[in-house]
Amino acid sequence: MKELILGGARSGKSALALRRAEAFAQSGHAVAWLATAQALDAEMAGRIARHRDERPAGWRTLEEPLRLAQALHDCASDGACVVVDCLTLWLTNLMLAEDAGLLERETAALLAALPVLPGEVILVANEVGLGIVPDNALARRFRDEAGRLNQAVAALCERVTFVAAGLPLVLK
Amino acid sequence: MKELILGGARSGKSALALRRAEAFAQSGHAVAWLATAQALDAEMAGRIARHRDERPAGWRTLEEPLRLAQALHDCASDGACVVVDCLTLWLTNLMLAEDAGLLERETAALLAALPVLPGEVILVANEVGLGIVPDNALARRFRDEAGRLNQAVAALCERVTFVAAGLPLVLK
Amino acid sequence: MKELILGGARSGKSALALRRAEAFAQSGHAVAWLATAQALDAEMAGRIARHRDERPAGWRTLEEPLRLAQALHDCASDGACVVVDCLTLWLTNLMLAEDAGLLERETAALLAALPVLPGEVILVANEVGLGIVPDNALARRFRDEAGRLNQAVAALCERVTFVAAGLPLVLK
Protein backbone atom coordinates (compact mmCIF):
# COMPACT_ATOMS: atom_id res chain seq x y z
CA MET A 1 0.00 0.00 0.00
CA LYS A 2 1.09 3.57 -0.64
CA GLU A 3 0.39 6.39 1.76
CA LEU A 4 1.06 10.10 1.40
CA ILE A 5 1.52 11.99 4.67
CA LEU A 6 1.07 15.70 4.09
CA GLY A 7 1.55 18.55 6.54
CA GLY A 8 3.24 21.79 7.44
CA ALA A 9 6.66 22.43 8.95
CA ARG A 10 6.99 20.79 12.40
CA SER A 11 3.48 19.39 12.12
CA GLY A 12 4.51 15.88 13.14
CA LYS A 13 4.62 14.40 9.60
CA SER A 14 7.87 12.48 10.06
CA ALA A 15 6.79 11.33 13.54
CA LEU A 16 3.59 9.90 12.05
CA ALA A 17 5.60 8.16 9.29
CA LEU A 18 7.84 6.76 12.02
CA ARG A 19 4.85 5.39 13.96
CA ARG A 20 3.48 3.80 10.78
CA ALA A 21 6.87 2.20 10.07
CA GLU A 22 7.16 0.96 13.67
CA ALA A 23 3.80 -0.77 13.29
CA PHE A 24 5.01 -2.46 10.08
CA ALA A 25 8.28 -3.40 11.82
CA GLN A 26 6.32 -5.07 14.62
CA SER A 27 4.54 -7.22 12.05
CA GLY A 28 7.88 -8.33 10.63
CA HIS A 29 8.64 -5.80 7.88
CA ALA A 30 12.19 -4.63 7.25
CA VAL A 31 12.19 -0.84 7.33
CA ALA A 32 14.25 1.38 5.03
CA TRP A 33 14.28 5.13 5.62
CA LEU A 34 14.97 6.97 2.38
CA ALA A 35 16.17 10.44 3.31
CA THR A 36 16.29 13.07 0.55
CA ALA A 37 17.88 15.88 2.58
CA GLN A 38 21.35 17.18 1.71
CA ALA A 39 23.45 18.56 4.56
CA LEU A 40 24.41 21.74 2.70
CA ASP A 41 24.83 23.82 5.87
CA ALA A 42 25.10 23.40 9.64
CA GLU A 43 21.40 24.11 10.26
CA MET A 44 20.38 21.31 7.88
CA ALA A 45 23.09 18.92 9.14
CA GLY A 46 21.80 19.32 12.69
CA ARG A 47 18.23 18.68 11.61
CA ILE A 48 19.23 15.51 9.70
CA ALA A 49 21.24 14.16 12.66
CA ARG A 50 18.37 14.83 15.11
CA HIS A 51 15.92 12.99 12.87
CA ARG A 52 18.27 10.01 12.47
CA ASP A 53 18.71 9.72 16.25
CA GLU A 54 14.93 9.46 16.66
CA ARG A 55 14.74 6.28 14.54
CA PRO A 56 15.26 2.68 15.76
CA ALA A 57 18.86 1.49 15.33
CA GLY A 58 17.92 -1.60 13.31
CA TRP A 59 16.46 0.34 10.37
CA ARG A 60 18.39 0.97 7.18
CA THR A 61 18.96 4.61 6.28
CA LEU A 62 19.56 5.53 2.65
CA GLU A 63 20.36 9.02 1.42
CA GLU A 64 19.28 9.88 -2.10
CA PRO A 65 18.76 13.54 -2.96
CA LEU A 66 17.88 13.12 -6.68
CA ARG A 67 17.34 9.63 -8.16
CA LEU A 68 14.35 8.77 -6.01
CA ALA A 69 12.53 6.38 -8.37
CA GLN A 70 15.68 4.28 -8.83
CA ALA A 71 16.31 4.19 -5.07
CA LEU A 72 12.71 3.09 -4.48
CA HIS A 73 13.03 0.32 -7.08
CA ASP A 74 16.21 -0.81 -5.30
CA CYS A 75 14.79 -1.05 -1.79
CA ALA A 76 11.04 -1.68 -2.09
CA SER A 77 10.00 -5.32 -1.83
CA ASP A 78 7.22 -7.50 -0.46
CA GLY A 79 7.67 -7.58 3.27
CA ALA A 80 9.52 -4.27 3.32
CA CYS A 81 8.37 -0.81 4.38
CA VAL A 82 10.07 2.16 2.75
CA VAL A 83 9.61 5.70 4.08
CA VAL A 84 10.49 8.63 1.77
CA ASP A 85 11.29 11.68 3.94
CA CYS A 86 10.58 13.90 2.17
CA LEU A 87 9.26 14.61 -1.35
CA THR A 88 9.46 18.38 -0.87
CA LEU A 89 13.19 18.44 -0.13
CA TRP A 90 13.70 16.12 -3.12
CA LEU A 91 11.78 18.60 -5.28
CA THR A 92 14.00 21.40 -3.95
CA ASN A 93 17.10 19.39 -4.86
CA LEU A 94 15.77 18.77 -8.39
CA MET A 95 14.99 22.47 -8.91
CA LEU A 96 18.42 23.54 -7.66
CA ALA A 97 20.31 20.97 -9.78
CA GLU A 98 21.87 22.54 -12.85
CA ASP A 99 20.07 20.24 -15.27
CA ALA A 100 16.97 21.69 -16.87
CA GLY A 101 15.33 18.36 -17.75
CA LEU A 102 16.03 16.56 -14.46
CA LEU A 103 12.89 17.72 -12.65
CA GLU A 104 10.60 16.51 -15.41
CA ARG A 105 12.41 13.18 -15.89
CA GLU A 106 12.63 12.34 -12.20
CA THR A 107 9.06 13.28 -11.31
CA ALA A 108 7.81 11.26 -14.31
CA ALA A 109 9.95 8.32 -13.11
CA LEU A 110 8.46 8.56 -9.59
CA LEU A 111 4.88 8.71 -10.86
CA ALA A 112 5.56 5.70 -13.13
CA ALA A 113 7.19 3.76 -10.26
CA LEU A 114 4.52 4.29 -7.57
CA PRO A 115 1.80 2.02 -9.02
CA VAL A 116 4.19 -0.91 -9.51
CA LEU A 117 6.34 -0.79 -6.36
CA PRO A 118 5.86 -3.83 -4.09
CA GLY A 119 5.42 -3.69 -0.31
CA GLU A 120 4.58 -0.70 1.85
CA VAL A 121 5.64 2.78 0.74
CA ILE A 122 5.07 5.86 2.91
CA LEU A 123 5.79 9.25 1.35
CA VAL A 124 6.12 12.41 3.45
CA ALA A 125 5.51 15.82 1.85
CA ASN A 126 5.06 19.44 2.87
CA GLU A 127 2.00 21.48 2.05
CA VAL A 128 3.49 24.89 1.17
CA GLY A 129 0.66 26.70 -0.62
CA LEU A 130 -1.40 28.08 2.25
CA GLY A 131 0.51 31.33 2.87
CA ILE A 132 0.72 34.66 1.10
CA VAL A 133 1.96 34.61 -2.54
CA PRO A 134 5.78 34.73 -2.29
CA ASP A 135 7.62 37.80 -3.52
CA ASN A 136 10.10 36.02 -5.76
CA ALA A 137 9.39 34.06 -8.92
CA LEU A 138 11.46 30.99 -7.97
CA ALA A 139 9.48 30.54 -4.73
CA ARG A 140 6.22 30.88 -6.70
CA ARG A 141 7.39 28.27 -9.21
CA PHE A 142 8.46 25.97 -6.36
CA ARG A 143 5.05 26.37 -4.73
CA ASP A 144 3.35 25.47 -8.00
CA GLU A 145 5.59 22.44 -8.59
CA ALA A 146 5.12 21.22 -4.99
CA GLY A 147 1.34 21.53 -5.26
CA ARG A 148 1.26 19.71 -8.59
CA LEU A 149 3.51 16.92 -7.25
CA ASN A 150 1.37 16.50 -4.12
CA GLN A 151 -1.78 16.21 -6.27
CA ALA A 152 -0.19 13.67 -8.62
CA VAL A 153 1.23 11.52 -5.81
CA ALA A 154 -2.01 11.71 -3.81
CA ALA A 155 -3.91 10.41 -6.85
CA LEU A 156 -1.66 7.31 -6.90
CA CYS A 157 -1.82 6.56 -3.15
CA GLU A 158 -4.48 4.43 -1.48
CA ARG A 159 -4.23 6.53 1.66
CA VAL A 160 -3.59 10.27 2.11
CA THR A 161 -3.30 11.78 5.59
CA PHE A 162 -3.04 15.46 6.53
CA VAL A 163 -1.21 16.20 9.79
CA ALA A 164 -1.63 19.29 11.98
CA ALA A 165 -0.30 19.68 15.54
CA GLY A 166 0.70 16.01 15.42
CA LEU A 167 -2.85 14.85 14.72
CA PRO A 168 -3.81 12.93 11.58
CA LEU A 169 -6.80 13.83 9.43
CA VAL A 170 -7.87 11.38 6.73
CA LEU A 171 -8.10 12.97 3.28
CA LYS A 172 -8.40 9.63 1.43
CA MET B 1 -27.00 26.19 -4.02
CA LYS B 2 -23.84 28.08 -3.18
CA GLU B 3 -20.53 26.34 -2.55
CA LEU B 4 -17.22 27.81 -1.44
CA ILE B 5 -14.14 25.82 -2.50
CA LEU B 6 -11.18 26.83 -0.38
CA GLY B 7 -7.56 25.72 -0.70
CA GLY B 8 -3.95 26.59 -1.16
CA ALA B 9 -2.00 27.41 -4.31
CA ARG B 10 -2.03 24.45 -6.74
CA SER B 11 -4.20 22.45 -4.38
CA GLY B 12 -6.68 21.45 -7.07
CA LYS B 13 -9.35 24.06 -6.18
CA SER B 14 -10.13 25.07 -9.77
CA ALA B 15 -10.05 21.43 -10.90
CA LEU B 16 -12.65 20.56 -8.26
CA ALA B 17 -14.80 23.52 -9.34
CA LEU B 18 -14.46 22.26 -12.92
CA ARG B 19 -15.62 18.75 -11.93
CA ARG B 20 -18.60 20.22 -10.05
CA ALA B 21 -19.52 22.34 -13.10
CA GLU B 22 -19.14 19.32 -15.43
CA ALA B 23 -21.61 17.41 -13.25
CA PHE B 24 -24.09 20.31 -13.49
CA ALA B 25 -23.50 20.52 -17.26
CA GLN B 26 -24.35 16.83 -17.61
CA SER B 27 -27.68 17.45 -15.90
CA GLY B 28 -28.45 20.21 -18.40
CA HIS B 29 -27.11 23.38 -16.78
CA ALA B 30 -25.48 26.09 -18.87
CA VAL B 31 -22.07 26.83 -17.39
CA ALA B 32 -20.53 30.30 -17.13
CA TRP B 33 -16.94 30.64 -15.90
CA LEU B 34 -16.42 34.02 -14.29
CA ALA B 35 -12.68 34.67 -14.25
CA THR B 36 -11.40 37.51 -12.08
CA ALA B 37 -7.73 37.35 -13.13
CA GLN B 38 -6.12 40.21 -15.00
CA ALA B 39 -3.28 39.39 -17.40
CA LEU B 40 -0.96 42.09 -16.08
CA ASP B 41 2.24 40.21 -16.98
CA ALA B 42 3.42 37.24 -19.04
CA GLU B 43 3.40 34.82 -16.07
CA MET B 44 -0.24 35.58 -15.31
CA ALA B 45 -1.25 35.58 -18.99
CA GLY B 46 0.19 32.07 -19.38
CA ARG B 47 -1.63 30.85 -16.29
CA ILE B 48 -4.97 32.28 -17.52
CA ALA B 49 -4.53 30.72 -20.97
CA ARG B 50 -3.66 27.29 -19.50
CA HIS B 51 -6.73 27.34 -17.27
CA ARG B 52 -9.01 28.33 -20.18
CA ASP B 53 -7.67 25.47 -22.32
CA GLU B 54 -8.61 22.99 -19.59
CA ARG B 55 -12.31 23.91 -19.76
CA PRO B 56 -14.93 22.47 -22.16
CA ALA B 57 -15.32 24.55 -25.34
CA GLY B 58 -19.10 25.02 -24.92
CA TRP B 59 -18.84 26.97 -21.66
CA ARG B 60 -19.09 30.75 -21.56
CA THR B 61 -16.07 32.57 -20.16
CA LEU B 62 -16.53 36.02 -18.66
CA GLU B 63 -13.74 38.20 -17.35
CA GLU B 64 -14.58 40.62 -14.58
CA PRO B 65 -11.79 41.81 -12.33
CA LEU B 66 -13.80 44.24 -10.13
CA ARG B 67 -17.62 44.39 -10.46
CA LEU B 68 -18.24 40.82 -9.35
CA ALA B 69 -21.71 41.21 -7.80
CA GLN B 70 -23.03 42.88 -10.97
CA ALA B 71 -21.47 40.17 -13.16
CA LEU B 72 -23.06 37.47 -10.98
CA HIS B 73 -26.48 39.16 -11.20
CA ASP B 74 -26.06 39.25 -15.01
CA CYS B 75 -25.21 35.57 -15.51
CA ALA B 76 -26.76 33.63 -12.61
CA SER B 77 -30.17 32.06 -13.36
CA ASP B 78 -32.21 28.97 -12.63
CA GLY B 79 -30.71 26.18 -14.66
CA ALA B 80 -27.30 27.86 -14.84
CA CYS B 81 -24.08 27.12 -12.99
CA VAL B 82 -21.68 30.00 -12.47
CA VAL B 83 -18.12 29.43 -11.26
CA VAL B 84 -16.21 32.39 -9.78
CA ASP B 85 -12.46 31.72 -10.11
CA CYS B 86 -11.36 33.22 -7.86
CA LEU B 87 -12.40 35.49 -4.99
CA THR B 88 -8.81 36.02 -3.83
CA LEU B 89 -7.60 37.50 -7.13
CA TRP B 90 -10.71 39.67 -7.15
CA LEU B 91 -9.79 40.90 -3.66
CA THR B 92 -6.27 41.64 -4.90
CA ASN B 93 -7.71 43.65 -7.80
CA LEU B 94 -9.93 45.64 -5.44
CA MET B 95 -7.04 46.42 -3.10
CA LEU B 96 -4.79 47.53 -5.98
CA ALA B 97 -7.47 49.72 -7.57
CA GLU B 98 -6.93 53.40 -6.85
CA ASP B 99 -10.33 53.88 -5.24
CA ALA B 100 -10.40 53.78 -1.45
CA GLY B 101 -14.08 52.86 -1.09
CA LEU B 102 -14.22 50.22 -3.84
CA LEU B 103 -13.21 47.26 -1.67
CA GLU B 104 -15.89 47.96 0.91
CA ARG B 105 -18.63 48.66 -1.68
CA GLU B 106 -17.88 45.62 -3.81
CA THR B 107 -17.52 43.13 -0.95
CA ALA B 108 -20.78 44.44 0.56
CA ALA B 109 -22.43 44.01 -2.85
CA LEU B 110 -21.19 40.42 -3.14
CA LEU B 111 -22.38 39.51 0.35
CA ALA B 112 -25.78 41.07 -0.39
CA ALA B 113 -26.01 39.23 -3.73
CA LEU B 114 -25.11 35.72 -2.59
CA PRO B 115 -28.31 34.91 -0.65
CA VAL B 116 -30.58 36.00 -3.53
CA LEU B 117 -28.74 34.67 -6.61
CA PRO B 118 -30.67 31.93 -8.45
CA GLY B 119 -29.15 28.67 -9.71
CA GLU B 120 -25.85 27.09 -8.79
CA VAL B 121 -22.95 29.31 -7.76
CA ILE B 122 -19.48 27.90 -7.03
CA LEU B 123 -16.90 30.27 -5.55
CA VAL B 124 -13.20 29.43 -5.48
CA ALA B 125 -10.92 31.11 -2.91
CA ASN B 126 -7.41 30.80 -1.54
CA GLU B 127 -6.62 30.21 2.10
CA VAL B 128 -3.57 32.46 2.65
CA GLY B 129 -3.30 32.74 6.44
CA LEU B 130 -1.41 29.58 7.37
CA GLY B 131 2.16 30.79 6.89
CA ILE B 132 4.48 33.07 8.83
CA VAL B 133 3.29 36.68 9.41
CA PRO B 134 4.37 38.59 6.27
CA ASP B 135 7.05 41.28 6.59
CA ASN B 136 5.15 44.05 4.88
CA ALA B 137 2.00 45.79 6.08
CA LEU B 138 0.13 45.51 2.76
CA ALA B 139 0.53 41.73 2.74
CA ARG B 140 -0.68 41.58 6.35
CA ARG B 141 -3.71 43.70 5.47
CA PHE B 142 -4.41 41.50 2.43
CA ARG B 143 -4.20 38.40 4.61
CA ASP B 144 -6.68 39.89 7.07
CA GLU B 145 -9.09 40.96 4.31
CA ALA B 146 -8.87 37.55 2.61
CA GLY B 147 -9.56 35.73 5.89
CA ARG B 148 -12.51 38.01 6.68
CA LEU B 149 -13.95 37.57 3.18
CA ASN B 150 -13.60 33.77 3.35
CA GLN B 151 -15.43 33.71 6.70
CA ALA B 152 -18.25 35.95 5.45
CA VAL B 153 -18.72 34.01 2.20
CA ALA B 154 -18.52 30.64 4.00
CA ALA B 155 -21.31 31.77 6.34
CA LEU B 156 -23.56 32.40 3.30
CA CYS B 157 -22.80 29.13 1.47
CA GLU B 158 -24.67 25.87 2.00
CA ARG B 159 -21.50 23.91 1.25
CA VAL B 160 -17.84 24.69 2.06
CA THR B 161 -15.07 22.37 0.88
CA PHE B 162 -11.38 22.54 1.73
CA VAL B 163 -9.02 21.07 -0.88
CA ALA B 164 -5.51 19.72 -0.26
CA ALA B 165 -3.47 17.67 -2.73
CA GLY B 166 -6.54 17.53 -4.97
CA LEU B 167 -8.67 15.90 -2.27
CA PRO B 168 -11.84 17.49 -0.88
CA LEU B 169 -12.57 17.78 2.83
CA VAL B 170 -16.06 18.83 3.90
CA LEU B 171 -16.03 21.85 6.25
CA LYS B 172 -19.81 22.45 5.95
CA MET C 1 -11.42 20.09 29.94
CA LYS C 2 -8.67 21.57 27.79
CA GLU C 3 -9.23 22.52 24.16
CA LEU C 4 -6.73 23.77 21.60
CA ILE C 5 -8.21 25.89 18.80
CA LEU C 6 -5.81 26.04 15.89
CA GLY C 7 -6.10 28.05 12.69
CA GLY C 8 -4.66 30.62 10.32
CA ALA C 9 -4.73 34.39 10.49
CA ARG C 10 -8.32 35.71 10.44
CA SER C 11 -9.68 32.19 10.31
CA GLY C 12 -12.20 32.76 13.09
CA LYS C 13 -10.15 31.13 15.91
CA SER C 14 -10.83 33.81 18.52
CA ALA C 15 -14.48 34.00 17.49
CA LEU C 16 -14.81 30.25 18.04
CA ALA C 17 -13.10 30.55 21.45
CA LEU C 18 -15.54 33.36 22.26
CA ARG C 19 -18.54 31.17 21.33
CA ARG C 20 -17.18 28.33 23.48
CA ALA C 21 -16.71 30.72 26.42
CA GLU C 22 -20.23 32.17 25.94
CA ALA C 23 -21.62 28.64 26.19
CA PHE C 24 -19.71 28.08 29.45
CA ALA C 25 -20.87 31.50 30.73
CA GLN C 26 -24.50 30.52 30.06
CA SER C 27 -24.03 27.43 32.24
CA GLY C 28 -22.72 29.59 35.07
CA HIS C 29 -18.96 29.71 34.54
CA ALA C 30 -17.00 32.88 35.26
CA VAL C 31 -14.98 33.73 32.16
CA ALA C 32 -11.43 35.11 32.19
CA TRP C 33 -9.83 36.18 28.92
CA LEU C 34 -6.06 35.89 29.15
CA ALA C 35 -4.62 38.08 26.39
CA THR C 36 -0.94 37.63 25.53
CA ALA C 37 -0.65 40.46 23.00
CA GLN C 38 1.54 43.49 23.68
CA ALA C 39 0.51 46.80 22.14
CA LEU C 40 3.96 47.59 20.76
CA ASP C 41 2.66 49.69 17.85
CA ALA C 42 -0.52 51.36 16.64
CA GLU C 43 -1.50 48.46 14.35
CA MET C 44 -1.37 45.99 17.25
CA ALA C 45 -3.04 48.40 19.70
CA GLY C 46 -5.98 48.78 17.30
CA ARG C 47 -6.29 45.03 16.91
CA ILE C 48 -6.26 44.46 20.69
CA ALA C 49 -8.91 47.15 21.26
CA ARG C 50 -11.18 45.73 18.50
CA HIS C 51 -10.96 42.23 20.03
CA ARG C 52 -11.75 43.53 23.54
CA ASP C 53 -14.83 45.38 22.26
CA GLU C 54 -16.17 42.13 20.82
CA ARG C 55 -16.27 40.41 24.23
CA PRO C 56 -19.11 40.60 26.81
CA ALA C 57 -18.59 43.39 29.37
CA GLY C 58 -18.88 41.07 32.39
CA TRP C 59 -15.80 39.01 31.54
CA ARG C 60 -12.44 39.57 33.19
CA THR C 61 -9.57 40.50 30.89
CA LEU C 62 -6.01 39.78 31.99
CA GLU C 63 -2.92 40.75 30.03
CA GLU C 64 0.12 38.55 30.45
CA PRO C 65 2.71 38.53 27.68
CA LEU C 66 5.27 36.15 29.29
CA ARG C 67 4.39 34.34 32.56
CA LEU C 68 1.51 32.34 31.14
CA ALA C 69 1.69 29.27 33.41
CA GLN C 70 1.62 31.46 36.53
CA ALA C 71 -1.30 33.50 35.19
CA LEU C 72 -3.21 30.29 34.41
CA HIS C 73 -2.58 28.94 37.92
CA ASP C 74 -3.89 32.26 39.30
CA CYS C 75 -7.17 32.35 37.37
CA ALA C 76 -8.12 28.73 36.55
CA SER C 77 -10.59 27.14 38.98
CA ASP C 78 -13.52 24.74 39.04
CA GLY C 79 -16.46 26.64 37.64
CA ALA C 80 -14.25 29.01 35.65
CA CYS C 81 -13.47 29.13 31.95
CA VAL C 82 -10.13 30.66 30.93
CA VAL C 83 -9.35 31.53 27.32
CA VAL C 84 -5.69 32.02 26.32
CA ASP C 85 -5.54 34.23 23.22
CA CYS C 86 -3.08 33.34 21.93
CA LEU C 87 -0.18 30.92 22.37
CA THR C 88 1.56 32.09 19.20
CA LEU C 89 1.86 35.73 20.30
CA TRP C 90 3.10 34.49 23.68
CA LEU C 91 5.76 32.44 21.88
CA THR C 92 6.73 35.56 19.91
CA ASN C 93 7.06 37.53 23.14
CA LEU C 94 9.26 34.80 24.67
CA MET C 95 11.52 34.70 21.61
CA LEU C 96 11.89 38.49 21.54
CA ALA C 97 12.61 38.76 25.29
CA GLU C 98 16.29 39.27 25.99
CA ASP C 99 16.56 36.19 28.21
CA ALA C 100 17.95 33.07 26.55
CA GLY C 101 16.44 30.56 28.98
CA LEU C 102 12.98 32.13 29.24
CA LEU C 103 11.44 30.31 26.27
CA GLU C 104 12.46 26.90 27.57
CA ARG C 105 11.43 27.62 31.19
CA GLU C 106 8.06 29.12 30.32
CA THR C 107 7.05 26.48 27.76
CA ALA C 108 8.05 23.74 30.24
CA ALA C 109 5.96 25.48 32.91
CA LEU C 110 2.92 25.64 30.60
CA LEU C 111 3.21 21.96 29.63
CA ALA C 112 3.52 21.01 33.32
CA ALA C 113 0.52 23.20 34.26
CA LEU C 114 -1.94 22.02 31.61
CA PRO C 115 -2.64 18.52 33.00
CA VAL C 116 -3.32 19.83 36.53
CA LEU C 117 -5.29 23.03 35.89
CA PRO C 118 -8.89 22.86 37.14
CA GLY C 119 -11.95 24.02 35.18
CA GLU C 120 -12.24 24.77 31.50
CA VAL C 121 -9.19 26.02 29.59
CA ILE C 122 -9.37 27.04 25.93
CA LEU C 123 -6.09 27.79 24.16
CA VAL C 124 -5.95 29.59 20.81
CA ALA C 125 -2.94 29.13 18.53
CA ASN C 126 -1.86 29.91 14.98
CA GLU C 127 -0.79 27.28 12.49
CA VAL C 128 2.13 29.00 10.71
CA GLY C 129 3.92 26.13 8.93
CA LEU C 130 1.91 25.75 5.74
CA GLY C 131 3.62 28.37 3.58
CA ILE C 132 6.94 28.56 1.76
CA VAL C 133 10.11 28.20 3.90
CA PRO C 134 10.84 31.74 5.19
CA ASP C 135 13.97 33.55 3.97
CA ASN C 136 15.34 34.48 7.37
CA ALA C 137 16.63 32.15 10.07
CA LEU C 138 14.64 33.73 12.92
CA ALA C 139 11.36 33.16 11.09
CA ARG C 140 12.37 29.55 10.41
CA ARG C 141 13.22 29.03 14.08
CA PHE C 142 9.92 30.63 15.11
CA ARG C 143 8.05 28.32 12.72
CA ASP C 144 9.79 25.29 14.24
CA GLU C 145 9.09 26.42 17.82
CA ALA C 146 5.45 27.18 17.03
CA GLY C 147 4.96 23.77 15.40
CA ARG C 148 6.61 21.99 18.33
CA LEU C 149 4.52 23.92 20.85
CA ASN C 150 1.28 23.19 18.99
CA GLN C 151 2.11 19.46 18.93
CA ALA C 152 2.98 19.38 22.65
CA VAL C 153 -0.13 21.33 23.69
CA ALA C 154 -2.38 19.26 21.40
CA ALA C 155 -1.10 16.08 23.04
CA LEU C 156 -2.25 17.41 26.45
CA CYS C 157 -5.70 18.61 25.34
CA GLU C 158 -8.82 16.46 25.27
CA ARG C 159 -10.14 18.39 22.28
CA VAL C 160 -8.28 19.94 19.31
CA THR C 161 -10.18 21.92 16.68
CA PHE C 162 -8.85 23.31 13.40
CA VAL C 163 -10.64 26.40 12.07
CA ALA C 164 -10.80 27.56 8.44
CA ALA C 165 -13.14 30.25 7.08
CA GLY C 166 -14.83 30.33 10.48
CA LEU C 167 -15.72 26.62 10.34
CA PRO C 168 -14.47 24.09 12.91
CA LEU C 169 -12.93 20.76 11.96
CA VAL C 170 -12.37 18.20 14.72
CA LEU C 171 -8.76 16.95 14.86
CA LYS C 172 -9.21 15.25 18.26
Side-chain angles (χ1 to χ4, degrees):
Chain A
M1 199 182 76
K2 279 90 200 169
E3 177 176 7
L4 174 64
I5 296 178
L6 192 68
R10 286 281 150 191
S11 63
K13 302 178 304 291
S14 297
L16 178 61
L18 192 137
R19 291 199 302 274
R20 298 274 203 245
E22 282 172 339
F24 283 120
Q26 286 192 336
S27 60
H29 289 69
V31 177
W33 198 274
L34 220 165
T36 60
Q38 288 179 294
L40 298 177
D41 59 31
E43 184 183 340
M44 191 53 86
R47 197 177 276 245
I48 292 174
R50 277 196 308 277
H51 278 147
R52 185 183 295 129
D53 293 346
E54 290 163 13
R55 295 194 293 267
W59 296 3
R60 266 172 83 195
T61 293
L62 304 159
E63 295 186 5
E64 179 47 63
L66 296 170
R67 312 285 169 180
L68 182 57
Q70 187 56 54
L72 277 166
H73 279 299
D74 291 347
C75 64
S77 69
D78 287 324
C81 166
V82 186
V83 178
V84 178
D85 186 16
C86 73
L87 290 180
T88 314
L89 278 174
W90 169 67
L91 184 66
T92 306
N93 298 337
L94 292 174
M95 287 183 67
L96 295 179
E98 291 181 357
D99 177 347
L102 189 65
L103 173 65
E104 204 175 328
R105 285 199 309 275
E106 286 297 325
T107 52
L110 176 69
L111 299 176
L114 280 181
V116 299
L117 288 173
E120 308 294 335
V121 179
I122 298 164
L123 306 125
V124 176
N126 279 73
E127 168 60 54
V128 299
L130 289 160
I132 281 286
V133 180
D135 281 334
N136 75 80
L138 181 64
R140 286 198 298 275
R141 200 191 135 214
F142 175 72
R143 200 168 77 136
D144 283 353
E145 295 287 354
R148 262 192 284 263
L149 179 66
N150 287 346
Q151 285 189 54
V153 171
L156 296 173
C157 287
E158 287 83 13
R159 183 147 73 155
V160 180
T161 307
F162 187 82
V163 187
L167 300 168
L169 191 68
V170 175
L171 285 179
K172 178 180 174 178
Chain B
M1 201 182 76
K2 279 90 199 171
E3 177 176 7
L4 174 64
I5 295 179
L6 193 68
R10 286 280 150 192
S11 62
K13 302 179 304 293
S14 296
L16 178 61
L18 192 136
R19 292 199 301 275
R20 299 271 202 247
E22 282 172 339
F24 284 120
Q26 285 192 337
S27 60
H29 288 69
V31 177
W33 198 274
L34 218 165
T36 59
Q38 287 180 294
L40 298 177
D41 58 31
E43 185 182 339
M44 190 54 85
R47 197 176 275 244
I48 292 172
R50 277 196 307 278
H51 278 146
R52 185 183 295 128
D53 293 348
E54 288 163 15
R55 294 194 294 268
W59 295 4
R60 265 172 85 194
T61 294
L62 303 159
E63 296 185 6
E64 179 48 63
L66 297 170
R67 314 283 170 183
L68 182 56
Q70 187 56 54
L72 277 166
H73 279 299
D74 291 346
C75 64
S77 68
D78 287 325
C81 166
V82 185
V83 178
V84 176
D85 186 16
C86 71
L87 291 181
T88 313
L89 278 175
W90 169 67
L91 184 66
T92 306
N93 297 337
L94 291 174
M95 286 183 67
L96 295 179
E98 292 180 357
D99 177 348
L102 190 65
L103 173 64
E104 202 174 331
R105 285 199 310 274
E106 286 297 324
T107 53
L110 175 69
L111 298 176
L114 279 180
V116 299
L117 287 172
E120 308 294 335
V121 178
I122 298 164
L123 305 126
V124 176
N126 279 73
E127 168 58 55
V128 300
L130 290 160
I132 283 286
V133 180
D135 281 334
N136 76 78
L138 181 63
R140 286 197 299 277
R141 200 191 136 215
F142 174 72
R143 200 168 77 137
D144 283 352
E145 294 287 356
R148 263 192 283 264
L149 179 66
N150 288 345
Q151 286 188 55
V153 171
L156 296 173
C157 286
E158 287 83 13
R159 183 148 73 155
V160 180
T161 306
F162 186 81
V163 187
L167 299 168
L169 191 68
V170 174
L171 286 179
K172 179 179 174 180
Chain C
M1 200 182 76
K2 279 90 197 172
E3 177 175 7
L4 174 64
I5 296 179
L6 193 68
R10 286 280 149 193
S11 63
K13 300 180 303 295
S14 297
L16 179 61
L18 192 135
R19 291 199 302 274
R20 299 274 203 244
E22 282 172 339
F24 283 119
Q26 286 193 335
S27 59
H29 288 70
V31 178
W33 198 273
L34 219 165
T36 61
Q38 288 180 294
L40 298 176
D41 59 30
E43 185 182 339
M44 190 55 82
R47 197 176 275 245
I48 291 172
R50 276 196 308 278
H51 279 145
R52 186 183 295 129
D53 293 348
E54 289 163 15
R55 295 194 293 268
W59 296 4
R60 264 172 85 196
T61 294
L62 304 158
E63 296 186 6
E64 179 48 61
L66 296 170
R67 314 284 169 181
L68 182 56
Q70 188 55 55
L72 278 165
H73 279 299
D74 290 347
C75 65
S77 69
D78 287 325
C81 166
V82 184
V83 178
V84 177
D85 186 17
C86 74
L87 291 181
T88 313
L89 278 174
W90 170 67
L91 184 66
T92 306
N93 297 337
L94 291 175
M95 287 184 68
L96 295 179
E98 292 180 358
D99 177 346
L102 189 65
L103 173 64
E104 203 174 330
R105 285 199 309 277
E106 286 297 325
T107 53
L110 176 69
L111 299 177
L114 280 180
V116 299
L117 287 173
E120 309 293 335
V121 179
I122 298 164
L123 305 126
V124 176
N126 279 72
E127 168 60 54
V128 300
L130 289 160
I132 282 286
V133 180
D135 281 334
N136 75 78
L138 181 64
R140 287 197 298 276
R141 201 191 134 213
F142 174 73
R143 200 169 76 137
D144 284 352
E145 295 288 355
R148 262 192 284 264
L149 179 65
N150 288 345
Q151 285 188 56
V153 171
L156 296 173
C157 287
E158 288 82 14
R159 182 147 74 155
V160 181
T161 307
F162 186 82
V163 186
L167 299 168
L169 191 68
V170 175
L171 286 179
K172 178 179 174 180

